[in-house]
Coordinates of all heavy atoms in Angstrom, one line a residue:
S364 N -12.1 96.3 -91.5 CA -13.2 95.4 -91.8 C -14.5 96.2 -92.2 O -15.5 95.5 -92.5 CB -13.5 94.5 -90.7 OG -12.5 93.6 -90.4
L365 N -14.4 97.5 -92.2 CA -15.6 98.2 -92.7 C -15.8 98.0 -94.2 O -14.8 97.7 -94.9 CB -15.4 99.7 -92.4 CG -15.3 100.2 -91.0 CD1 -14.9 101.7 -90.9 CD2 -16.6 99.9 -90.2
T366 N -17.0 98.2 -94.7 CA -17.2 98.2 -96.1 C -16.4 99.3 -96.8 O -16.0 100.2 -96.1 CB -18.7 98.4 -96.5 OG1 -19.1 99.7 -96.0 CG2 -19.5 97.3 -95.9
P367 N -16.1 99.2 -98.1 CA -15.2 100.2 -98.7 C -15.8 101.7 -98.5 O -15.0 102.5 -98.1 CB -15.3 99.8 -100.2 CG -15.4 98.4 -100.2 CD -16.4 98.1 -99.0
L368 N -17.1 101.9 -98.7 CA -17.6 103.2 -98.5 C -17.7 103.6 -97.0 O -17.5 104.7 -96.6 CB -19.0 103.3 -99.1 CG -19.0 103.3 -100.7 CD1 -20.4 103.5 -101.2 CD2 -18.1 104.4 -101.3
G369 N -17.9 102.5 -96.2 CA -17.9 102.8 -94.7 C -16.5 103.2 -94.3 O -16.4 104.1 -93.4
G370 N -15.5 102.6 -94.8 CA -14.1 102.9 -94.5 C -13.7 104.3 -95.0 O -12.8 104.9 -94.5
L371 N -14.3 104.7 -96.1 CA -14.0 106.0 -96.7 C -14.3 107.1 -95.7 O -13.6 108.1 -95.7 CB -14.7 106.2 -98.0 CG -14.5 107.5 -98.8 CD1 -14.6 107.2 -100.3 CD2 -15.5 108.6 -98.4
V372 N -15.4 107.0 -95.0 CA -15.9 108.1 -94.1 C -14.9 108.4 -93.0 O -14.5 109.6 -92.9 CB -17.3 107.7 -93.5 CG1 -17.7 108.8 -92.5 CG2 -18.3 107.7 -94.6
P373 N -14.5 107.5 -92.2 CA -13.5 107.9 -91.2 C -12.2 108.4 -91.7 O -11.5 109.3 -91.2 CB -13.3 106.6 -90.3 CG -13.8 105.5 -91.2 CD -14.9 106.1 -92.0
M374 N -11.8 107.8 -92.9 CA -10.6 108.3 -93.5 C -10.7 109.8 -94.0 O -9.8 110.6 -93.7 CB -10.2 107.4 -94.8 CG -8.8 107.5 -95.2 SD -8.5 106.5 -96.7 CE -9.0 104.9 -96.3
W375 N -11.8 110.1 -94.6 CA -12.1 111.5 -95.1 C -12.3 112.4 -93.9 O -11.9 113.6 -94.0 CB -13.2 111.5 -96.0 CG -13.2 112.7 -96.9 CD1 -12.1 113.2 -97.6 CD2 -14.3 113.5 -97.3 NE1 -12.5 114.3 -98.3 CE2 -13.8 114.5 -98.2 CE3 -15.7 113.5 -97.0 CZ2 -14.6 115.5 -98.8 CZ3 -16.5 114.5 -97.6 CH2 -16.0 115.4 -98.4

Side-chain angles (χ1 to χ4, degrees):
S364 296
L365 297 173
T366 59
L368 290 184
L371 182 147
V372 171
M374 198 182 307
W375 201 41

